[in-house]
Amino acid sequence: NASAVITDVNTGDVLALVSYPGYDNNKMANSVDAEYYARLNADKSNPQYNYATQYAAAPGSTFKMVSATAGLMEGVITLNNQVNCTGTFGEGPLAPKCWRVWGHGNEPLTTAIRDSCNFYFYNLGYQLSMDGGSYNETKGLDMLQKYADMFGLTDRSGIEIAEAAPNISTEDPMRSAIGQGSNSFSTVGLARYLTAVANSGTCYNLTLIDKITDHRNALLEERRAEVRNVIEMEDAEWDAIHLGMRQVIENRADYQDLTISAAGKTGTAEENLNRANHALFVCYAPYEEPEIAISTRIAFGYTSSYAAKTTKDI
C-alpha cells in the first residue's frame, strides 16, 4: 500500500490525495455489487482504507527540517556551526549511531540535511535538551513539540474528511530529532508541514474543497485554505534548509534527467523489527519559485529510494 498528497504551496489547496490500492466506486454506488464488496472486505491490502489520511507512522528523516528550525530559532546551532560526525554519538544515555557507521566528518546544517546525517541531528536534539549544563529529556521533547506545532504537526491538517490524529514523540529527544521516537503522522499531515517548508513559513489549514453548489449549480459556499500561523525565521536560515533539500535532489542519480528543478528530503522510518522500514519522500518544485509540494509514503516499503522514484514520476 502507499499514499501521496500534492498541495499548492501558495494557497494551501490539496491538488491530489491518493491512497493505493483503490477500488471501483461505480460498483459501490446505488446498488452495491455484493460479490465485489465481499472481495474488498477479504483483501488483506485493505483497499477501502485511506492510507493518505488514516494511516499514521514515523516520518523518519523527513522530520529533520522541524529539528533544524528548532535549532536555529533556539540558537543552539548557527549556519556557520559544524558538527564532526564520527559515526557514534557519545553524549546522552543511549549513544545512538549514524546510518553511516564510519561518519560523515564535519557537517554544517545544509550538508547535514543533504547527507541526512543522524549524528548532526542527535547532537541537535541533545543541545535542545541541555538545561543549565545538565541533560533534561523533557526540555528537549518540549522544544521539538513547540516547533512541530509551528508546522501544524500537533493537530489534524484541516481537510474535510476523517484523518488520524498526529502524535509528537514523548521519548528520547535525540532519536525524536531524526523523526523516530514515538513520532507518528499521516501523509496529509506531512503534506501540510512540507507546504510550510516550501513557502518559507506559512502553515495552512488545508482544504479539499474549492466550492459547494446546489443541484442547479448555484454557488452556496466558496472555500479557501486558512492561514494557521506563520513561522518568522530569517531568510538566510530558510535558504540554508532549502539548499540542503536541493542538494538531496542533485545527489540522486535517478533525478538527473528531471527537467524541473526540485528540492526534497528522504525518510526511512523504522517501526517494526520484524518488518521492512517505511519508505518516505517529500519534495517541492520548482526550487526557485515553489508551486507544488508532494509527500509520498510506501508503508513497509524498505527504502526511501522507492518513494523518491515514485515521487519523481508524479
Side-chain angles (χ1 to χ4, degrees), residues 1-24:
N1 58 67
S3 58
V5 178
I6 307 174
T7 60
D8 182 326
V9 303
N10 299 305
T11 67
D13 288 340
V14 175
L15 304 179
L17 187 149
V18 181
S19 177
Y20 178 86
Y23 58 90
D24 187 348

Side-chain angles (χ1 to χ4, degrees), residues 53-169:
T53 61
Q54 295 174 312
Y55 187 87
S61 292
T62 63
F63 186 80
K64 286 175 177 173
M65 289 80 78
V66 172
S67 302
T69 303
L72 289 167
M73 294 187 74
E74 292 297 320
V76 303
I77 59 171
T78 70
L79 299 183
N80 296 320
N81 285 149
Q82 293 192 16
V83 173
N84 182 24
C85 171
T86 58
T88 300
F89 187 70
E91 304 293 341
L94 298 172
K97 298 183 184 298
C98 188
W99 67 266
R100 191 175 190 182
V101 293
W102 57 90
H104 289 98
N106 287 321
E107 295 266 39
L109 174 62
T110 292
T111 64
I113 291 173
R114 177 195 70 194
D115 299 334
S116 202
C117 177
N118 288 344
F119 188 108
Y120 184 97
F121 287 92
Y122 292 146
N123 179 67
L124 203 163
Y126 180 75
Q127 295 301 328
L128 288 170
S129 304
M130 295 305 290
D131 188 6
S134 300
Y135 176 75
N136 183 334
E137 182 176 280
T138 300
K139 180 177 183 290
L141 292 169
D142 287 347
M143 285 287 102
L144 290 172
Q145 177 164 352
K146 173 183 174 181
Y147 287 91
D149 178 71
M150 291 184 184
F151 286 102
L153 288 171
T154 57
D155 56 23
R156 292 175 174 87
S157 69
I159 60 168
E160 295 88 351
I161 59 175
E163 178 186 348
N167 186 69
I168 301 295
S169 184

Side-chain angles (χ1 to χ4, degrees), residues 43-298:
D43 190 332
K44 292 182 179 180
S45 68
N46 206 0
Q48 297 175 87
Y49 187 77
N50 192 330
Y51 286 99
T53 61
Q54 295 174 312
Y55 187 87
S61 292
T62 63
F63 186 80
K64 286 175 177 173
M65 289 80 78
V66 172
S67 302
T69 303
L72 289 167
M73 294 187 74
E74 292 297 320
V76 303
I77 59 171
T78 70
L79 299 183
N80 296 320
N81 285 149
Q82 293 192 16
V83 173
N84 182 24
C85 171
T86 58
T88 300
F89 187 70
E91 304 293 341
L94 298 172
K97 298 183 184 298
C98 188
W99 67 266
R100 191 175 190 182
V101 293
W102 57 90
H104 289 98
N106 287 321
E107 295 266 39
L109 174 62
T110 292
T111 64
I113 291 173
R114 177 195 70 194
D115 299 334
S116 202
C117 177
N118 288 344
F119 188 108
Y120 184 97
F121 287 92
Y122 292 146
N123 179 67
L124 203 163
Y126 180 75
Q127 295 301 328
L128 288 170
S129 304
M130 295 305 290
D131 188 6
S134 300
Y135 176 75
N136 183 334
E137 182 176 280
T138 300
K139 180 177 183 290
L141 292 169
D142 287 347
M143 285 287 102
L144 290 172
Q145 177 164 352
K146 173 183 174 181
Y147 287 91
D149 178 71
M150 291 184 184
F151 286 102
L153 288 171
T154 57
D155 56 23
R156 292 175 174 87
S157 69
I159 60 168
E160 295 88 351
I161 59 175
E163 178 186 348
N167 186 69
I168 301 295
S169 184
T170 57
E171 59 189 47
D172 189 353
M174 289 181 289
R175 285 190 172 88
S176 297
I178 69 163
Q180 291 288 163
S182 57
N183 282 312
S184 182
F185 310 111
S186 66
T187 307
V188 73
L190 293 177
R192 170 158 73 168
Y193 148 54
L194 177 64
T195 298
V197 173
N199 66 36
S200 299
T202 301
C203 180
Y204 289 98
N205 289 324
L206 303 181
T207 180
L208 290 165
I209 298 172
D210 275 335
K211 61 184 178 180
I212 300 170
T213 65
D214 66 14
H215 66 288
R216 294 187 178 89
N217 211 34
L219 181 65
L220 300 178
E221 181 183 345
E222 284 190 295
R223 291 276 180 94
R224 291 183 179 86
E226 296 180 353
V227 174
R228 179 183 183 269
N229 63 277
V230 177
I231 304 167
E232 301 287 354
M233 190 164 68
E234 296 291 333
D235 288 346
E237 294 173 333
W238 281 117
D239 290 345
I241 292 172
H242 293 154
L243 181 58
M245 297 176 70
R246 174 63 182 150
Q247 291 177 358
V248 169
I249 296 292
E250 291 176 331
N251 276 15
R252 294 195 62 84
D254 50 8
Y255 270 71
Q256 294 308 302
D257 61 344
L258 187 68
T259 58
I260 302 163
S261 58
K265 185 70 194 77
T266 52
T268 303
E270 182 181 284
E271 178 179 322
N272 185 333
L273 293 177
N274 297 315
R275 295 195 67 179
N277 293 332
H278 297 307
L280 298 104
F281 194 71
V282 298
C283 76
Y284 64 85
Y287 170 64
E288 297 80 7
E289 294 186 31
E291 296 177 18
I292 65 165
I294 308 174
S295 298
T296 303
R297 170 160 37 211
I298 306 174

